[in-house]
Amino acid sequence: MRKIAILLMPLLLAACVDDSASYYADGPVGNHALTIHRAQKHFWSSESKVELIMQRLPDCLRRIELTEMPADEVEIELLSGGNNVWTLRAGQETWQVETQTCTQYADVKGDGGELMGVFRPDGDKFVYEAAVIETVPADTK
């Protein structure tokens, strides 16, 4: 029986999701990042726990549990309100954090700010995809 369990263990673990994607506020080698982590507790469950890990070293490092949702439907928009205030939005749910003092606000204030990008599944991995900013040419009259 033990041999069967050992042989089946890789199959059971293969279906689980446990990955993350990061946005680096001060470039790829900086110390200021927002990371979304998604993890399934059990291979038979479609739900995954979604967490935010915010860091602005050496002053801020904090993990915040956001929600649970199906692993393949984790799509979270990241908005910047300036002054290290960030808003995360997934459907009707929103969260607002501030990385200056490592705080999560009880209520979301304002519209969230400028869209920076989206955390989402891409095939078998989880990625951060930066928003495309289009510039509108000035009228030349």
Side-chain angles (χ1 to χ4, degrees):
M1 183 66 169
R2 184 175 152 177
K3 289 181 183 179
I4 292 172
I6 291 171
L7 290 173
L8 292 176
M9 190 60 71
L11 295 174
L12 298 177
L13 295 175
C16 291
V17 171
D18 189 353
D19 55 8
S20 61
S22 298
Y23 164 74
Y24 296 95
D26 58 355
V29 293
N31 292 321
H32 190 180
L34 297 164
T35 301
I36 297 293
H37 176 246
R38 66 179 181 156
Q40 272 178 285
K41 283 186 177 181
H42 310 289
F43 74 92
W44 60 82
S45 172
S46 66
E47 295 294 303
S48 64
K49 181 171 70 169
V50 181
E51 303 172 306
L52 167 68
I53 303 162
M54 57 179 173
Q55 72 175 35
R56 192 185 55 74
L57 299 176
D59 301 319
C60 172
L61 180 59
R62 184 174 175 193
R63 179 184 300 254
I64 298 170
E65 227 177 276
L66 298 179
T67 189
E68 285 196 10
M69 62 177 63
D72 58 347
E73 294 178 18
V74 176
E75 189 165 305
I76 299 177
E77 296 176 323
L78 174 65
L79 300 104
S80 172
N83 297 324
N84 294 326
V85 175
W86 307 93
T87 301
L88 298 128
R89 183 170 54 206
Q92 299 294 341
E93 293 186 80
T94 56
W95 307 270
Q96 199 166 52
V97 297
E98 188 257 309
T99 55
Q100 189 66 33
T101 59
C102 233
T103 304
Q104 178 181 12
Y105 295 135
D107 298 315
V108 175
K109 299 171 182 91
D111 65 354
E114 177 185 354
L115 178 65
M116 302 305 291
V118 178
F119 296 94
R120 64 175 189 78
D122 184 15
D124 61 348
K125 59 184 175 179
F126 194 60
V127 298
Y128 171 77
E129 195 171 89
V132 177
I133 299 169
E134 295 181 19
T135 57
V136 178
D139 277 346
T140 53
K141 290 184 181 182

